[in-house]
Amino acid sequence: MTQQTRIFSGIQPTNNLTVGNYLGAIKNWVSLQSQGQSNENQVENLFCIVDLHAITVPQDPTLLHKATLETAATYLASGINPKQSSIFIQSHVRAHTELAWLLSCMTPMGWLNRMTQFKDKAGKNREKAGLGLYAYPTLMAADILLYQTTHVPVGDDQKQHVEMTRDLAQSFNHHYNEDTFTIPEPVIQGEAKRIMSLRDGTKKMSKSDPSGFSRIHLTDSPEDIAQKIKKAKTDLAPLPDSIVELEDRPEAKNLITLYAAFQNMTIDSALKNVAGQNFASFKPQLTEVIISALTPIRENIATYMNDQSELMDILNNGSEKASHIAEKTINDVKETMGFVKENN
Ligand code: TYM
């Protein structure tokens, strides 16, 4: 990594987080955090709970409140260390909404029309979808650009949004002929770039899928995990010994991906352990692997949620540090755009 690496990423506090969020995002944040520690150059990590994104679809206030704190607890429980990374709530740093407005005036509607996540989420109800859901990629661009982010570790589904962020930053810099924004790179790594639904291997595992059996939450009990894996869709063939033979077996590929990713293995080396087995013998092993990885995380989340004073201290500290960086960017952007500075 180059000098002054700055890593930013976030998760929406909607419902409990899934193993998709963990393997596709948080687990990679933890490894980037430790790589940063061993790097002589300065690496700064910012991990945000993006509550302003959550309200792009209707939320119950009590559930939003709980999910916001639980998402923060999950970052910590999974190994994000507040001494090495700032953890903060998006709505605590007002510059996010301010920059989002400034950038929205420069975002062509044609770009937003191409965003697949809007099409998926709005579905047939396009006319009734809120403006926020449509404008969401601009808020995400503001999140990233506010911190002069160099690297954005995300799952595969967010790639298009990070690419739009790059386009917006380039277009702003070009329009004002200044290097106001750093151009961020998406970081999409590991075997679990896109974990699929346990009910349908062609659909992404999602916090908002109507079927609870489609996903495993990080707070699921061992019994729930065992039951969900037992019911997970599979096919009749035994497991092969190479990944190419899984190409047209999406459910089998997804389960072996979970098995590999939770053990930090490549899919090919995981297949060497289980090739030739059928699902009746593979599923209990997968269940064990998931339960042993998630049990300490679930217990740590409960500890942070039972006494929230430590959690709140960490979040306050995080937003203070984040605000410091954000204020500088927003002031620079406004000056570049020609806004008159307050005189105080
Ligand atoms: P969200 O909340 O949907 O998901 C959070 C992170 O989890 C990843 N992810 C997955 N990875 C693999 N398999 C899956 N099934 C899976 N489901 C989710 C996502 O790719 C993401 O990395 N727009 C973002 C949140 C956001 C953000 C940002 C991210 C807002 N501002 C700035 C990075 C930088 C979102 O809705 O993620």
Side-chain angles (χ1 to χ4, degrees), residues 246-315:
L246 286 171
E247 275 325 308
D248 52 357
R249 298 175 62 189
E251 285 83 16
K253 186 174 178 194
N254 193 40
L255 295 185
I256 195 78
T257 302
L258 286 171
Y259 179 81
F262 270 115
Q263 297 181 97
N264 301 317
M265 289 170 133
T266 62
I267 294 182
D268 268 328
S269 58
L271 281 171
K272 294 211 165 57
N273 286 352
V274 294
Q277 294 188 22
N278 59 23
F279 285 98
S281 71
F282 172 65
K283 277 183 167 182
Q285 298 169 58
L286 173 61
T287 303
E288 257 325 294
V289 163
I290 301 178
I291 291 175
S292 68
L294 294 193
T295 298
I297 297 179
R298 190 186 67 248
E299 289 172 355
N300 279 337
I301 294 174
T303 309
Y304 281 111
M305 290 302 281
N306 283 340
D307 175 7
Q308 293 174 6
S309 55
E310 187 186 353
L311 190 60
M312 287 315 299
D313 283 348
I314 291 169
L315 289 170

Side-chain angles (χ1 to χ4, degrees), residues 8-14 17-26 29 48 50 53 75 90 96 117 121 136-137 139-144 149 152-159 161-162 165 192-197 203-207:
F8 179 95
S9 198
I11 298 184
Q12 296 193 49
T14 44
L17 303 197
T18 69
V19 291
N21 300 126
Y22 176 70
L23 297 173
I26 304 176
W29 304 352
C48 186
V50 290
H53 281 269
Y75 291 3
Q90 185 187 25
H96 286 256
Q117 194 168 49
K121 285 203 173 177
Y136 162 118
L139 177 60
M140 178 158 162
D143 301 339
I144 296 168
T149 303
V152 188
V154 282
D156 191 48
D157 62 322
Q158 296 300 319
K159 188 168 181 219
H161 293 155
V162 182
T165 303
K193 298 175 184 72
R194 187 179 286 252
I195 294 293
M196 309 310 272
S197 156
K203 260 175 62 185
K204 189 187 77 166
M205 181 183 284
S206 154
K207 295 178 222 118

